[in-house]
Amino acid sequence: MRRKKMYPELIALGGAATRPQNGEKRPPIGGSAILLRYGEFGFLSDCGAYQARGKALEKETEQVIFDYKTIGGEYKIPIVKSLMNYLKQEDTLLPAKSDSILPDFSILNKVRYLIILLHHGHHDHVGGLPVLRKMLAGKGIRPIILATAPTRDFCKQAWTDQLKIMANKGQRSGYDRIMMYKLLKEIQIVNPGQTLSFGPFDITLIHAGHILGALSALVKVAEKKVFFTSDISFNNPLIPGATICSLDNVGKLDYLVSEFTYGKQRKHISKETESNRLINDVRKTLEEGGKVLIPALSIERVEIIFEALRQAGITKRWPVYINGLSAKISAVTYVRYGIIDSEIEKHFVENINQSYTIARSNNACVMIAPAGMMGGGWSVYFGSQWASDAKNLIAFTCYQIKGSPGYKLLTMKRGNELKLGDENICLRAKIRKYSLSAHASGEELEAMIERLKPKKTLLVHGEEAQIDNFVRSSVKNAEKMIVGKRYTI
Ligand SMILES: [Zn+2]
């Protein structure tokens, strides 16, 4: 009997559009995990988790103490001495229910040999791995897991956050700290420029420019070439420690799997111009005696914003605070890699009491705090305290998904009411948005597609309507990737 010819296929487990008949409708951003399968072999591009609704801050008065632990004998990672304090402190987005935060791992059923590349350390790209690792162990599969050293550091941050969140809600996270540390040790450290072979796959790693340690990947299998951008940036000189993506060694492609987070924003916006606009607005607000809240992503955005404020002399003239444990851990990581100055640590809010004092004080100041969309964490609390005063400014610096409190604030009229955390606020403060995004613009994505000339482009990690628009109006052979659908290469 003749055997059927085997073709590689791409299948999204998460991080793409969902068909309503697949059951629960999930957001198209979050839970990034794209499988390239060839027979029993799989290459998994990212293994993220979804983020969902926030929860009110819990009162906690004790200080969190940092210590350092050496992992794998190579480098140090910050740990928190007082775990119980850490577990009680609330500063990130919360999943609606534990099992709803994961991509559809059942799609991996036919895979016996798996290599997983964690492209960068954001939660939506790495948060699903501990549970997947446990599931695979139950089936006797030991995956090879690849990441850069900074991504491994950020993984610890993302996974610990997730444990803390689940513990807060009395939910089972599917893994514990011992498993997490074992998993961190299992990660094989890789670097941009390397090519690795695994079964039928040749995997070349390329700087993605998105955050410190971020990678894109070119994968060759059965004489086909697939390029996974994950999150990518071609032009953001402000990102500390990141090397922008160069497509010089990618060549012509069969398939391109590309992010579309900011694809709707056609033109590339100069980050320097946006950063200057932010600085000017912050300075004006402070000079007029107002307070500034900058909701920020923990990893990379906090550092960009702080550096911009420091270089503009604002940190010398006015109090500038950084709040939220994940933001502090991220900043410590950047300091440890020698990318930013340790001065940032002097600006950490030390404990919850200090947060309340700052919130009630009449003094002009700047508070940088996660979460970036105000879906949870300290940005919600400070938003609830400061949004009703016309002197104040809330400055958003990252993507605001539809339905998030950040999106609502940006689109609502002044004088209207909104529930933020436990408070009903009447919006009077100035609400502005600054594009400091570490993602490619629509124009840049189109130029990439034009240059690489893939036979097909699958768009992921973007709003569905915007992807549909882009596909209709401008780009040949591009389509919206759908979770669970098989794309034969
Ligand atoms: Zn990212």
Side-chain angles (χ1 to χ4, degrees), residues 375-418:
W378 283 108
S379 63
V380 182
Y381 174 71
F382 282 91
S384 72
Q385 301 302 302
W386 294 355
S388 305
D389 187 336
K391 282 207 303 289
N392 298 340
L393 166 69
I394 300 179
F396 289 101
T397 61
C398 62
Y399 181 81
Q400 304 297 314
I401 200 163
K402 243 186 193 165
S404 64
Y407 183 89
K408 285 179 193 157
L409 280 169
L410 275 162
T411 47
M412 73 191 269
K413 286 201 178 86
R414 287 222 220 164
N416 283 0
E417 290 202 358
L418 178 71

Side-chain angles (χ1 to χ4, degrees), residues 247-311:
L247 300 172
D248 287 353
N249 296 320
V250 176
K252 289 207 176 148
L253 292 177
D254 292 282
Y255 262 68
L256 168 65
V257 181
S258 174
E259 66 129 319
F260 199 78
T261 326
Y262 265 81
K264 67 177 176 185
Q265 184 183 290
R266 296 292 305 145
K267 289 259 175 238
H268 172 71
I269 297 173
S270 155
K271 306 303 175 208
E272 288 100 329
T273 312
E274 287 294 286
S275 173
N276 290 339
R277 195 163 67 81
L278 169 67
I279 294 298
N280 290 339
D281 289 351
V282 168
R283 187 180 280 120
K284 194 162 179 280
T285 306
L286 294 170
E287 279 169 351
E288 290 167 4
K291 299 190 192 76
V292 181
L293 169 65
I294 310 182
L297 295 167
S298 305
I299 302 174
E300 163 263 330
R301 207 57 50 87
V302 169
E303 290 76 20
I304 290 184
I305 294 160
F306 180 80
E307 276 300 290
L309 296 174
R310 190 180 66 82
Q311 283 168 28

Side-chain angles (χ1 to χ4, degrees), residues 32 46 119-125 210-211 214 230-232 259 261 297 299-301 438-439 461:
S32 286
D46 284 325
H119 287 260
H120 65 279
H122 280 149
H123 174 264
D124 58 331
H125 294 258
H210 175 59
I211 61 168
S230 189
D231 290 357
I232 197 167
E259 66 129 319
T261 326
L297 295 167
I299 302 174
E300 163 263 330
R301 207 57 50 87
H439 293 271
H461 206 280

Side-chain angles (χ1 to χ4, degrees), residues 135-175:
M135 282 170 62
L136 292 173
K139 291 175 167 186
I141 297 171
R142 188 184 171 123
I144 292 173
I145 305 159
L146 311 175
T148 59
T151 298
R152 185 169 66 170
D153 281 9
F154 294 138
C155 277
K156 184 192 167 281
Q157 186 179 330
W159 297 340
T160 312
D161 259 1
Q162 204 162 267
L163 275 180
K164 178 193 66 177
I165 288 161
M166 297 295 191
N168 257 343
K169 297 192 85 181
Q171 288 175 335
R172 292 180 58 180
S173 56
Y175 65 101

Side-chain angles (χ1 to χ4, degrees), residues 131-360:
V131 173
L132 175 62
R133 178 69 189 90
K134 196 174 161 191
M135 282 170 62
L136 292 173
K139 291 175 167 186
I141 297 171
R142 188 184 171 123
I144 292 173
I145 305 159
L146 311 175
T148 59
T151 298
R152 185 169 66 170
D153 281 9
F154 294 138
C155 277
K156 184 192 167 281
Q157 186 179 330
W159 297 340
T160 312
D161 259 1
Q162 204 162 267
L163 275 180
K164 178 193 66 177
I165 288 161
M166 297 295 191
N168 257 343
K169 297 192 85 181
Q171 288 175 335
R172 292 180 58 180
S173 56
Y175 65 101
D176 58 29
R177 278 173 66 86
I178 294 165
M179 281 177 60
M180 188 184 86
Y181 279 111
K182 276 191 189 159
L183 184 51
L184 283 167
K185 284 188 182 177
E186 279 181 23
I187 293 177
Q188 298 187 20
I189 298 300
V190 291
N191 292 298
Q194 263 182 291
T195 297
L196 303 109
S197 290
F198 174 77
F201 304 114
D202 285 328
I203 304 153
T204 302
L205 307 172
I206 295 165
H207 280 294
H210 175 59
I211 61 168
L212 173 65
L215 294 171
S216 296
L218 177 66
V219 183
K220 287 187 200 163
V221 57
E223 289 167 33
K224 306 281 183 184
K225 276 167 77 179
V226 185
F227 186 54
F228 296 87
T229 64
S230 189
D231 290 357
I232 197 167
S233 174
F234 296 105
N235 191 346
N236 189 342
L238 303 178
I239 302 171
T243 305
I244 58 159
C245 179
S246 159
L247 300 172
D248 287 353
N249 296 320
V250 176
K252 289 207 176 148
L253 292 177
D254 292 282
Y255 262 68
L256 168 65
V257 181
S258 174
E259 66 129 319
F260 199 78
T261 326
Y262 265 81
K264 67 177 176 185
Q265 184 183 290
R266 296 292 305 145
K267 289 259 175 238
H268 172 71
I269 297 173
S270 155
K271 306 303 175 208
E272 288 100 329
T273 312
E274 287 294 286
S275 173
N276 290 339
R277 195 163 67 81
L278 169 67
I279 294 298
N280 290 339
D281 289 351
V282 168
R283 187 180 280 120
K284 194 162 179 280
T285 306
L286 294 170
E287 279 169 351
E288 290 167 4
K291 299 190 192 76
V292 181
L293 169 65
I294 310 182
L297 295 167
S298 305
I299 302 174
E300 163 263 330
R301 207 57 50 87
V302 169
E303 290 76 20
I304 290 184
I305 294 160
F306 180 80
E307 276 300 290
L309 296 174
R310 190 180 66 82
Q311 283 168 28
I314 287 174
T315 54
K316 287 231 155 30
R317 235 181 115 186
W318 289 281
V320 172
Y321 301 104
I322 294 168
N323 212 347
L325 196 63
S326 53
K328 293 175 198 170
I329 294 178
S330 168
V332 169
T333 307
Y334 275 87
V335 170
R336 198 158 28 83
Y337 277 87
I339 290 159
I340 58 170
D341 194 272
S342 60
E343 190 202 314
I344 194 167
E345 294 173 28
K346 293 182 194 143
H347 295 261
F348 291 173
V349 176
E350 285 178 9
N351 52 45
I352 291 177
N353 281 343
Q354 193 190 355
S355 291
Y356 295 148
T357 309
I358 297 164
R360 284 188 232 108

